[in-house]
Amino acid sequence: MVKYMNNQSPRIKRKNEGIKGSVFTFFSTASAVGKTVLAVNYAADLAERGYKVCLADLDLQFGDVCNYLGITPEKTLFDYYEQEDNQRDTSTCITEIKFGFDVLAAPLEVDEGFIMDAETIVQAINQLRDDYDYVLLDTTTGFTGITLAILEQTDVLYLPCVVDFIPSIKDLKIGLETLHKLQFDYQRVRLILNRNKAETQISTKDVEALLGRPFQYFISNDYQGIMQSIKEAKPVVLTESKNKLADEISDMVSEELGEKEESGGLTGWLGSLFK
Ligand SMILES: Nc1ncnc2c1ncn2[C@@H]1O[C@H](COP(=O)(O)OP(=O)(O)OP(=O)(O)O)[C@@H](O)[C@H]1O
Ligand SMILES: [Mg+2]
């Protein structure tokens, strides 16, 4: 795989021209569980595989995507919001970045994020689906009107969690029950145990029993690795040296794309979307 080490990466064409892109959403019921870390790395990994990817930062008031990638966007979602209703165009507001994917940045000011409405967000997601193979959405914690609108647009929902203390597990259980009430198809939910094996007295098996379902993915606890990546503004999956966390994220992407056994094409459920 080519690692985009220089400041120039080729702008990628859609692999699946004419088919609406898939929407992958990173959501959680507790803060600081790794939504942004995973979304940024997932986007970088998909771009490395040659897909046209946009990562939209829908953490409207406290978005971190630009910080983690070390970019200063000229345009944000707020500029999109300010365009005339029938003339809004996401392609005028995205930021092209050196890692081969595009970013639709969160508003820069809290008040700009505050006035954003669900309709505009859905409009933006729909336009992005026309332009990209994969639209990744980083979101904020908890259920709001905007979250519900995002969920309706979501093909696969990634729910990272950190098993560090009881309230966060309780909140995750409530989150899963809420998704059930909303009739969000469980088959499209991926539970991710992030910071796996971090110092905690709570056993994974107990948590799975409480939640009534197992974790699909386990991502290692690598504080140094993540901090270094944020400091260097470079996704961990793009580091040249061997890194367990990077491998786990890449394996997760492979698994989701159905590329684990057969590297030739998409064989998983996502593959069927592109047939
Ligand atoms: N696998 C990991 N190993 C070690 N540290 C991690 C890991 N994932 C995340 N972290 C740490 O947790 C912090 C929060 O991660 P991140 O910003 O991705 O969470 P978030 O869910 O997006 O938070 P917020 O709710 O504020 O948006 C990171 O800055 C990093 O320090
Ligand atoms: Mg975040």
Side-chain angles (χ1 to χ4, degrees):
M1 255 187 228
V2 182
K3 305 264 183 200
Y4 293 120
M5 301 311 309
N6 44 37
N7 287 330
Q8 297 293 313
S9 76
R11 296 324 297 173
I12 292 168
K13 285 213 173 102
R14 283 203 63 175
K15 269 199 183 186
N16 303 297
E17 201 72 62
I19 299 169
K20 286 223 171 236
S22 300
V23 176
F24 289 180
T25 300
F26 294 79
F27 172 69
S28 68
T29 49
S31 295
V33 294
K35 294 182 292 297
T36 308
V37 163
L38 292 175
V40 161
N41 279 283
Y42 206 122
D45 200 88
L46 280 173
E48 283 271 292
R49 292 165 197 253
Y51 292 102
K52 192 170 179 210
V53 179
C54 183
L55 171 57
D57 192 346
L58 302 184
D59 186 348
L60 300 173
Q61 295 185 22
F62 300 105
D64 276 324
V65 168
C66 291
N67 299 338
Y68 283 16
L69 292 167
I71 53 174
T72 312
E74 273 178 29
K75 294 273 172 66
T76 72
L77 199 55
F78 184 65
D79 296 286
Y80 178 79
Y81 170 83
E82 288 212 305
Q83 292 174 348
E84 286 292 324
D85 224 9
N86 56 354
Q87 282 172 17
R88 289 202 182 105
D89 182 356
T90 43
S91 69
T92 61
C93 298
I94 56 128
T95 308
E96 292 184 353
I97 66 163
K98 63 183 176 181
F99 303 121
F101 63 93
D102 294 339
V103 168
L104 180 55
L108 299 176
E109 306 289 337
V110 170
D111 53 337
E112 294 176 353
F114 182 77
I115 60 170
M116 208 67 70
D117 60 79
E119 231 171 64
T120 310
I121 302 289
V122 169
Q123 191 181 5
I125 295 171
N126 270 315
Q127 287 182 4
L128 293 173
R129 289 183 88 129
D130 287 334
D131 291 344
Y132 294 89
D133 296 315
Y134 291 103
V135 179
L136 270 55
L137 308 177
D138 187 17
T139 67
T140 190
T141 301
F143 293 91
T144 63
I146 289 180
T147 318
L148 297 196
I150 293 170
L151 287 176
E152 273 183 19
Q153 303 301 315
T154 296
D155 292 307
V156 184
L157 184 65
Y158 293 91
L159 275 184
C161 79
V162 176
V163 178
D164 49 359
F165 73 134
I166 301 289
S168 68
I169 300 164
K170 182 234 2 153
D171 292 346
L172 180 59
K173 187 165 172 62
I174 293 173
L176 287 172
E177 286 165 0
T178 307
L179 288 170
H180 187 61
K181 276 191 209 151
L182 293 169
Q183 299 186 331
F184 193 92
D185 180 5
Y186 263 19
Q187 303 272 21
R188 295 192 283 123
V189 177
R190 308 285 186 269
L191 267 187
I192 303 173
L193 181 59
N194 191 22
R195 310 195 70 168
N196 187 24
K197 305 217 165 82
E199 282 295 309
T200 171
Q201 302 297 316
I202 306 168
S203 100
T204 307
K205 284 273 159 281
D206 287 349
V207 177
E208 289 179 328
L210 192 79
L211 298 177
R213 55 176 287 167
F215 290 101
Q216 264 95 17
Y217 297 110
F218 296 86
I219 306 292
S220 294
N221 184 43
D222 179 3
Y223 187 77
Q224 286 305 335
I226 296 283
M227 289 321 276
Q228 183 72 9
S229 141
I230 293 172
K231 215 165 97 194
E232 290 177 4
K234 182 172 166 196
V236 185
V237 292
L238 300 181
T239 43
E240 303 90 276
S241 50
K242 188 103 185 102
N243 182 294
K244 188 166 176 233
L245 182 105
D247 289 347
E248 287 164 348
I249 295 173
S250 277
D251 283 351
M252 172 170 71
V253 178
S254 294
E255 180 89 30
E256 291 294 309
L257 300 186
E259 287 180 348
K260 204 136 198 194
E261 274 86 40
E262 264 179 69
S263 55
L266 298 176
T267 55
W269 76 271
L270 273 172
S272 62
L273 287 181
F274 292 132
K275 279 181 184 140

